[in-house]
Amino acid sequence: MRFIGDGVEDKLAYRQAAEDNVARDRLANILIDRSNAICQSELALLMQNQAEVGGWLGIATTGLATASTVVTGDLAKSILSGGAAFTSGSADQISSFAYKDTLIEVINTAIREKRALALETIVAKFGRTNARYTTT
């Protein structure tokens, strides 16, 4: 990676960062921004998965319920109605437990806490000379 627009495009950003604390802090900010974008993307994928699961189970529920009104025979109607109730309940349980109340919230909270701690550690080192800048 190279810094663009600083007149030193022939030198890698890492090399500049190793020599100059301003370049180091600049590189750290770029990496933090990229990390933020990746975290947002991953959280969006979790939301997308929730929508897909809910969507497919909703389609299955609608299909089973519709089929139960079209078929003949009490047993077939009962089986299809039961299937519709099962997929509807499953959609509610999966959405509530796995996504809204547990999975997404736990992951989101863990990401926010760990990132806040890491960011605090990194930002506290901004402005230090390279000799005083530790990686621990």
Side-chain angles (χ1 to χ4, degrees):
M1 177 184 139
R2 290 178 169 75
F3 293 132
I4 304 301
D6 63 355
V8 195
E9 283 86 8
D10 62 323
K11 193 181 251 188
L12 293 174
Y14 177 79
R15 293 282 179 221
Q16 290 182 45
E19 298 167 2
D20 176 48
N21 63 322
V22 173
R24 185 203 57 233
D25 294 349
R26 180 180 178 192
L27 179 59
N29 277 314
I30 290 169
L31 295 174
I32 289 167
D33 286 345
R34 288 191 181 169
S35 177
N36 287 337
I38 290 167
C39 286
Q40 290 303 317
S41 175
E42 290 300 318
L43 290 173
L45 284 174
L46 286 172
M47 300 300 285
Q48 177 185 345
N49 289 343
Q50 176 188 3
E52 286 179 8
V53 167
W56 285 113
L57 287 172
I59 290 168
T61 299
T62 302
L64 291 167
T66 302
S68 74
T69 64
V70 176
V71 299
T72 57
D74 289 340
L75 182 58
K77 287 182 181 293
S78 294
I79 291 171
L80 291 169
S81 293
F86 175 78
T87 56
S88 176
S90 296
D92 291 343
Q93 289 299 315
I94 289 170
S95 180
S96 175
F97 178 75
Y99 288 108
K100 291 181 184 167
D101 296 336
T102 306
L103 183 65
I104 290 177
E105 189 55 37
V106 167
I107 291 171
N108 194 11
T109 300
I111 287 172
R112 276 186 280 129
E113 288 174 0
K114 294 290 183 184
R115 289 182 57 71
L117 182 60
L119 184 61
E120 182 180 313
T121 302
I122 292 167
V123 170
K125 296 177 181 183
F126 280 2
R128 290 185 184 177
T129 63
N130 284 349
R132 291 193 58 235
Y133 193 99
T134 62
T135 56
T136 59

